[in-house]
């Protein structure tokens, strides 16, 4: 990000915040409840703001884009079309955005993916997490690896001071 300082002769580059976390092993998600998803494999963390062990991102003050996608296998023998999964973005422990609601396939073992992409303002002390809701009637575990991801990046807009 190019930053201008009124006391400086020339603009300077400021290192922004950004990270990419993926799921090293799936998280068991109970039916009918929102479960925090673990993204403990860290591909990069530009500013050291992502706590992989807690799957929590606390970026400096500014505007950010945040994205997550979670893939879940359909439980065997699912006998209803009304079962779904939905990813949610939490800020400071409370849900602030819901992603796409994806329906599980009836009598199938297909994988379903749900995602969310939002632009947010973060105060510098705000922290962000991803949760998953599903209502299949049984506990299911999301996929592991890069198919399940949580990332964020600073946007070069607004006041960051």
């Amino acid at each position: 990000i190019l930053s201008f300082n009124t006391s400086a002769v020339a603009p300077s580059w400021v290192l922004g915040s950004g990270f990419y976390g993926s799921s090293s092993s799936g998280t068991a998600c109970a039916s009918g409840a929102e479960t925090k998803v673990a993204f403990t494999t860290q591909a990069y963390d530009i500013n050291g703001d992502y706590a992989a062990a807690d799957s929590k991102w606390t970026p400096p003050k500014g505007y950010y884009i945040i994205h997550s996608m979670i893939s879940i296998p359909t439980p065997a023998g699912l006998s209803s079309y009304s079962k779904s999964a939905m990813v949610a973005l939490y800020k400071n422990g409370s849900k602030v955005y819901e992603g796409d609601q994806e329906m599980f396939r009836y009598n199938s073992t297909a994988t379903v993916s749900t995602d969310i992409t939002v632009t947010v303002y973060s105060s510098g002390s705000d922290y962000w997490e991803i949760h998953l809701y599903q209502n299949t009637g049984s506990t299911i575990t999301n996929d592991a690896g890069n198919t399940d991801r949580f990332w964020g990046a600073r946007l070069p807009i607004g006041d960051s001071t």
Side-chain angles (χ1 to χ4, degrees):
I1 297 173
L2 191 58
S3 175
F4 292 92
N5 182 329
T6 56
S7 63
V9 176
S12 60
W13 288 101
V14 177
L15 187 60
S17 180
F19 79 99
Y20 183 103
S22 60
S23 183
S24 60
S25 62
T27 300
C29 301
S31 181
E34 291 191 0
T35 304
K36 181 177 172 181
V37 179
F39 298 94
T40 56
T41 300
Q42 187 173 298
Y44 63 86
D45 183 5
I46 294 172
N47 206 37
D49 305 318
Y50 182 65
D54 294 333
S55 302
K56 185 185 295 187
W57 187 40
T58 310
K61 179 180 176 182
Y63 291 89
Y64 295 88
I65 185 168
I66 297 176
H67 172 79
S68 182
M69 185 176 87
I70 300 175
S71 299
I72 314 115
T74 300
L78 193 62
S79 59
S80 172
Y81 286 106
S82 64
K83 306 304 181 185
S84 64
M86 184 170 43
V87 65
L89 178 65
Y90 276 56
K91 174 183 174 183
N92 301 328
S94 297
K95 180 170 50 177
V96 289
Y97 295 103
E98 292 179 339
D100 295 333
Q101 181 180 16
E102 295 297 329
M103 304 307 286
F104 286 100
R105 276 63 170 178
Y106 169 72
N107 201 21
S108 169
T109 57
T111 297
V112 172
S113 295
T114 176
D115 69 312
I116 187 169
T117 304
V118 296
T119 302
V120 300
Y121 176 78
S122 195
S123 69
S125 60
D126 294 329
Y127 65 90
W128 304 89
E129 305 168 301
I130 297 295
H131 288 239
L132 177 67
Y133 171 83
Q134 60 89 10
N135 65 350
T136 62
S138 60
T139 297
I140 56 177
T141 301
N142 66 294
D143 290 345
N146 283 327
T147 59
D148 288 27
R149 55 190 170 266
F150 174 29
W151 62 260
R154 183 173 175 100
L155 296 171
I157 59 174
D159 179 22
S160 63
T161 58

